[in-house]
């Protein structure tokens, strides 16, 4: 069964461009059809994906909680880890998208295992990375243990003060 996107170009004699594919990918994500979004992206990838399509597919992965897949798409786009670069030279995934991936990796505890090696590979491939990218992995809510009584700015006198107040009462 052909879809509208497959039928219309054949019927009317035109070829869908990357913008059309990117819109289809976005529509798939909006309809929670991740499998179809990846199918459309794979077809686009084989015919020339651009930075906009990578921004959309990576953003959709993040919204769907597919953080590892988002990182793998960055590797795919730039040809990292021995792969061939898919993005045309001169095109780059947006800094905001890269930062979002790093932030999500940090939230999932994957910054050290996945995020920092990804940044190192991006730098080695001469991909422009800004200073905010590295800090994005650290921009997570860190839970510190509760503060112990007697340790604070009072220099250890906090507990003694509490005991004095209790004795006076």
């Amino acid at each position: 069964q052909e879809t509208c996107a497959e039928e219309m170009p054949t019927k009317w004699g035109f070829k869908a461009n990357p913008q059309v594919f990117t819109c289809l990918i976005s529509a798939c994500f909006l309809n929670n059809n991740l499998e179809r979004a990846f199918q459309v992206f794979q077809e686009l990838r084989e015919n020339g994906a651009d930075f906009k399509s990578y921004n959309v597919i990576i953003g959709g992965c993040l919204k769907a909680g597919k953080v590892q897949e988002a990182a793998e798409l960055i590797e795919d786009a730039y040809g990292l880890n021995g792969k061939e670069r898919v993005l045309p030279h001169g095109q780059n995934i947006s800094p905001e998208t890269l930062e979002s991936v790093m932030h999500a990796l940090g939230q999932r505890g994957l910054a050290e295992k996945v995020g920092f090696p990804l940044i190192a590979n991006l730098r080695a491939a001469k991909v422009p990375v800004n200073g905010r990218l590295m800090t994005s992995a650290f921009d997570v809510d860190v839970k510190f243990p509760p503060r112990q009584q007697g340790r604070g700015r009072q220099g250890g006198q906090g507990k003694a003060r509490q005991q004095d107040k209790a004795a006076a009462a």
Side-chain angles (χ1 to χ4, degrees):
Q1 174 183 350
E2 280 190 321
T3 64
C4 180
E6 296 163 336
E7 178 186 325
M8 296 287 281
T10 305
K11 183 177 180 179
W12 298 103
F14 70 89
K15 184 178 179 186
N17 62 22
Q19 291 83 5
V20 171
F21 279 100
T22 301
C23 289
L24 288 172
I25 293 166
S26 183
C28 291
F29 278 119
L30 288 171
N31 287 292
N32 296 317
N33 193 341
L34 277 64
E35 184 179 329
R36 184 66 178 138
F38 279 103
Q39 289 172 350
V40 173
F41 179 75
Q42 190 59 36
E43 187 176 342
L44 172 60
R45 187 186 174 286
E46 292 167 4
N47 294 305
D50 63 4
F51 74 98
K52 292 177 185 176
S53 56
Y54 271 98
N55 285 332
V56 168
I57 190 93
I58 291 169
C61 285
L62 292 176
K63 287 177 185 165
K66 304 287 187 183
V67 178
Q68 187 79 34
E69 288 85 345
E72 290 169 2
L73 283 163
I74 293 169
E75 291 177 342
D76 178 66
Y78 289 109
L80 305 178
N81 297 330
K83 301 173 187 171
E84 187 175 328
R85 183 183 171 117
V86 177
L87 272 180
H89 287 281
Q91 289 190 10
N92 292 295
I93 295 169
S94 77
E96 295 81 12
T97 300
L98 294 174
E99 290 166 22
S100 295
V101 171
M102 284 303 295
H103 181 76
L105 288 168
Q107 285 182 323
R108 299 230 176 15
L110 296 171
E112 192 172 332
K113 181 181 174 189
V114 179
F116 298 145
L118 178 60
I119 291 174
N121 289 337
L122 288 169
R123 285 184 170 171
K126 306 283 191 250
V127 174
V129 288
N130 63 34
R132 292 187 322 229
L133 185 59
M134 191 68 140
T135 60
S136 294
F138 293 110
D139 188 23
V140 295
D141 293 332
V142 178
K143 303 291 187 227
F144 292 101
R147 205 174 206 181
Q148 294 180 351
Q149 288 186 336
R151 291 191 165 174
R153 292 189 302 185
Q154 298 98 4
Q157 298 173 359
K159 191 170 188 175
R161 285 186 185 170
Q162 287 178 348
Q163 290 171 347
D164 290 342
K165 287 180 183 178

